[in-house]
């Protein structure tokens, strides 16, 4: 339970009893079902894989807060599933990638768990980026209307009221606070979250690496047979 809500999750036993616990956080408009394309690969390296629904997604109640309140939810989940002396890896994509980075950056100070690494797929730096790019792809207005909407949310410059004193929204700034390794997986043809954002995030981290997926877009990196092996090899080397 987090913020008064019961958030559903799947807890899957992995094939490696002494491996880490991997917590998967999905993207906007997705759900824990998105983890199914990844769990077959990641589960071979982990002792457990936990996939959850963020508020307003899948079977979870509530509404999406665009990667702000979800950080508190992820930290609550981490505290719930953590095991003594077992390392934890946060694995998220798109919205979930940023939530995972922010949770790891904040969790260090809160001693929530031993976070051994973060895997961020197709991340973006600032909250308006994917909204603006999706509208642009659909040839819809994506200028002042997006700016106004995020200004009302307090996220126009990446610094909202939820984040004062917590490092801001910018995922690159938060990556700079990580004390664990960071792996970024990013398709070079991603039209929603530009690979330049992923490169900046990886570069700002103290121990950051980016795996560039040639020809990869924003979705389907694991399900596409031409990209899945590259993702699996990169994650295998990381974990």
């Amino acid at each position: 339970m987090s913020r008064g809500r019961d958030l559903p999750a799947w807890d899957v036993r992995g094939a490696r009893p002494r491996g880490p616990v991997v917590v998967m956080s999905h993207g906007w408009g997705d759900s824990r079902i998105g983890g199914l394309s990844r769990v077959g690969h990641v589960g071979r390296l982990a002792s457990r894989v936990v996939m959850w629904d963020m508020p307003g997604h899948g079977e979870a109640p509530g509404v999406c807060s665009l990667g702000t309140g979800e950080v508190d939810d992820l930290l609550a989940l981490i505290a719930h599933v953590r095991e003594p002396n077992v390392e934890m890896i946060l694995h998220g994509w798109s919205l979930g990638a940023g939530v995972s980075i922010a949770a790891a950056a904040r969790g260090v100070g809160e001693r929530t768990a031993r976070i051994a690494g973060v895997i961020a797929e197709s991340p973006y730096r600032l909250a308006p980026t994917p909204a603006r790019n999706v509208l642009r792809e659909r040839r819809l207005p994506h200028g002042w209307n997006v700016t106004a909407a995020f200004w009302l949310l307090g996220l126009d410059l990446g610094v909202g009221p939820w984040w004062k004193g917590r490092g801001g929204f910018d995922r690159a700034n938060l990556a700079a606070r990580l004390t664990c390794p960071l792996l970024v997986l990013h398709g070079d043809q991603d039209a929603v979250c530009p690979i330049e954002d992923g490169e900046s995030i990886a570069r700002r981290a103290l121990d950051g690496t980016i795996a560039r997926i040639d020809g990869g877009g924003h979705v389907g990196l694991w399900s596409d047979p031409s990209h899945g092996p590259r993702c699996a090899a990169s994650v295998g080397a990381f974990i």
Side-chain angles (χ1 to χ4, degrees), residues 22 24 38-46 49 91 119 222 235 239:
V22 178
M24 291 187 174
R38 298 160 172 86
V39 69
H41 303 280
V42 178
R44 288 195 288 267
L45 308 167
V49 179
H91 181 176
I119 301 169
W222 289 85
V235 170
I239 296 180

Side-chain angles (χ1 to χ4, degrees), residues 35-212:
L36 297 179
S37 63
R38 298 160 172 86
V39 69
H41 303 280
V42 178
R44 288 195 288 267
L45 308 167
S47 57
R48 297 165 66 191
V49 179
V50 179
M51 298 166 277
W52 65 297
D53 285 343
M54 295 187 194
H57 293 82
E59 298 179 313
V63 296
C64 177
S65 59
L66 303 176
T68 54
E70 289 86 357
V71 179
D72 293 317
D73 299 329
L74 178 52
L75 288 171
L77 176 60
I78 290 169
H80 180 71
V81 305
R82 65 181 175 180
E83 301 176 32
N85 303 316
V86 176
E87 293 183 336
M88 185 170 291
I89 290 179
L90 306 185
H91 181 176
W93 47 99
S94 194
L95 172 68
V99 170
S100 298
I101 292 169
R106 198 194 312 171
V108 169
E110 297 184 2
R111 302 180 182 274
T112 304
R114 167 86 171 96
I115 299 175
V118 177
I119 301 169
E121 295 180 33
S122 310
Y124 52 93
R125 291 186 59 174
L126 301 178
T129 298
R132 182 169 284 117
N133 287 337
V134 167
L135 291 172
R136 180 184 292 113
E137 286 288 297
R138 296 179 181 179
R139 298 184 178 181
L140 294 171
H142 56 270
W144 65 266
N145 55 324
V146 175
T147 300
F150 280 87
W151 181 82
L152 290 172
L153 291 170
L155 291 168
D156 59 315
L157 297 177
V159 182
W162 300 283
W163 292 87
K164 289 182 179 179
R166 294 181 175 180
F169 187 96
D170 189 334
R171 303 322 195 185
N173 289 342
L174 292 172
R177 296 174 53 190
L178 295 176
T179 58
C180 63
L182 168 69
L183 171 65
V184 175
L185 300 175
H186 216 129
D188 66 353
Q189 300 301 310
D190 191 334
V192 176
C193 301
I195 192 170
E196 291 79 10
D197 275 19
E199 290 170 339
S200 295
I201 290 168
R203 187 166 54 247
R204 290 290 303 279
L206 181 66
D207 185 3
T209 304
I210 185 164
R212 184 187 184 99

